[in-house]
């Protein structure tokens, strides 16, 4: 199963959008699923359900950070390279999905902290499964074009 399919499957299992993408890449990050779930848990619903940056894109950025990110502060060249990769994936996500903000993608301003029950109606009315699939596909495409550095493997 590819990462896009895995992310979609995780979303239908009840994971939030960020968890769905980040956990799908545990085979590459080496993180145990439970740790990946915890790390990405705050980013669902556009950051704590505030409808800001799409959680699927946040999950993709977590993967990029884990696999390609920098750990030594002060190197502006490395920092700039990393920001460029994040911006490239975000630009492709916006082009394919229509926006970066959860609230815009869902056309839903409800930002109460109470999550919506995961019912058949919920899954039928939300485009989020497609967003998590696309975010994971974009990370896969980035990886194909930019092999993971040995330090991250």
């Amino acid at each position: 199963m590819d990462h896009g399919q895995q992310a979609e499957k995780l979303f239908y299992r009840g994971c939030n959008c960020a968890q769905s993408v980040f956990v799908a890449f545990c085979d590459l990050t080496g993180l145990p699923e439970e740790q990946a779930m915890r790390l990405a848990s705050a980013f669902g619903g556009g950051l704590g359900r505030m409808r800001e940056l799409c959680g699927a894109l946040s999950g993709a950025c977590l993967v990029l950070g884990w696999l390609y990110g920098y750990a030594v502060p002060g190197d502006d060249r490395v920092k700039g390279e990393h920001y460029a990769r994040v911006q490239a994936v975000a630009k492709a996500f916006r082009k394919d999905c229509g926006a970066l903000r959860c609230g815009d993608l869902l056309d839903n301003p409800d930002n109460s902290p109470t999550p919506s029950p995961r019912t058949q109606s919920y899954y039928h009315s939300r485009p989020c499964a497609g967003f998590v699939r696309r975010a994971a596909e974009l990370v896969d495409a980035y990886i194909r074009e930019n092999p993971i550095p040995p330090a991250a493997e």
Side-chain angles (χ1 to χ4, degrees):
M1 183 180 301
D2 68 24
H3 293 111
Q5 290 173 327
Q6 181 66 18
E8 189 172 14
K9 179 180 170 186
L10 287 160
F11 182 76
Y12 283 121
R13 197 174 96 193
C15 292
N16 75 35
C17 36
Q19 289 171 321
S20 298
V21 176
F22 191 54
V23 171
F25 285 87
C26 282
D27 64 317
L28 297 182
T29 65
L31 286 170
E33 186 174 302
E34 181 181 348
Q35 288 181 2
M37 288 276 206
R38 288 177 183 270
L39 182 61
S41 64
F43 297 94
L47 187 62
R49 206 167 184 272
M50 292 190 296
R51 305 296 190 221
E52 295 300 334
L53 183 66
C54 172
L57 182 56
S58 293
C61 291
L62 285 168
V63 175
L64 293 173
W66 192 268
L67 298 179
Y68 299 93
Y70 60 94
V72 178
D75 187 337
D76 288 343
R77 180 189 61 78
V78 172
K79 187 186 291 188
E81 288 171 356
H82 187 60
Y83 289 168
R85 84 177 44 92
V86 168
Q87 288 184 16
V89 170
K91 180 179 178 181
F93 184 87
R94 176 185 283 148
K95 178 181 178 273
D96 294 349
C97 299
L100 299 180
R101 285 189 66 254
C102 173
D104 296 337
L105 289 164
L106 297 181
D107 192 27
N108 181 351
D110 176 17
N111 64 356
S112 75
T114 305
S116 302
R118 296 290 184 98
T119 63
Q120 286 299 337
S121 174
Y122 172 91
Y123 289 118
H124 182 71
S125 67
R126 292 285 174 101
C128 303
F131 297 149
V132 300
R133 176 186 279 268
R134 190 63 192 135
E137 290 170 347
L138 290 168
V139 173
D140 274 337
Y142 186 86
I143 291 169
R144 277 193 303 277
E145 296 173 17
N146 303 275
I148 301 167
E153 292 178 336

